[in-house]
Amino acid sequence: ISLRQDVSTRAALAWALAANRQPHRAWEQFAAVLEMGFRDAVVFYRAGCVADSLGRKAESRRLWQKSLDLNP
């Protein structure tokens, strides 16, 4: 990540962290991706999964809805 701080790299890192049971670190990366204004159904879905695992139910529902809005 120190070499590439683009959206795709951060999103991939976030999902890898989530898969390795590091949801807090994953959320930090997803938050950075979302702040950049990236709009992608898969990213919204995965960020919603991480938010849900952290107990952020309203945030997860909002992200999942954004995912569905882009890709019903």
Side-chain angles (χ1 to χ4, degrees), residues 7-67:
V7 173
S8 297
T9 301
R10 284 189 179 272
L13 174 60
W15 195 236
L17 289 166
N20 283 287
R21 297 188 174 129
Q22 297 180 50
H24 293 285
R25 290 184 63 205
W27 181 251
E28 291 173 4
Q29 294 302 317
F30 274 127
V33 168
L34 297 172
E35 285 178 21
M36 292 177 187
F38 192 61
R39 295 182 44 85
D40 180 82
V42 173
V43 169
F44 285 139
Y45 173 78
R46 290 177 174 179
C49 291
V50 172
D52 188 60
S53 75
L54 293 171
R56 297 173 165 213
K57 302 303 180 187
E59 183 75 9
S60 63
R61 284 191 298 272
R62 184 183 68 80
L63 290 163
W64 288 332
Q65 186 58 56
K66 283 186 167 195
S67 177

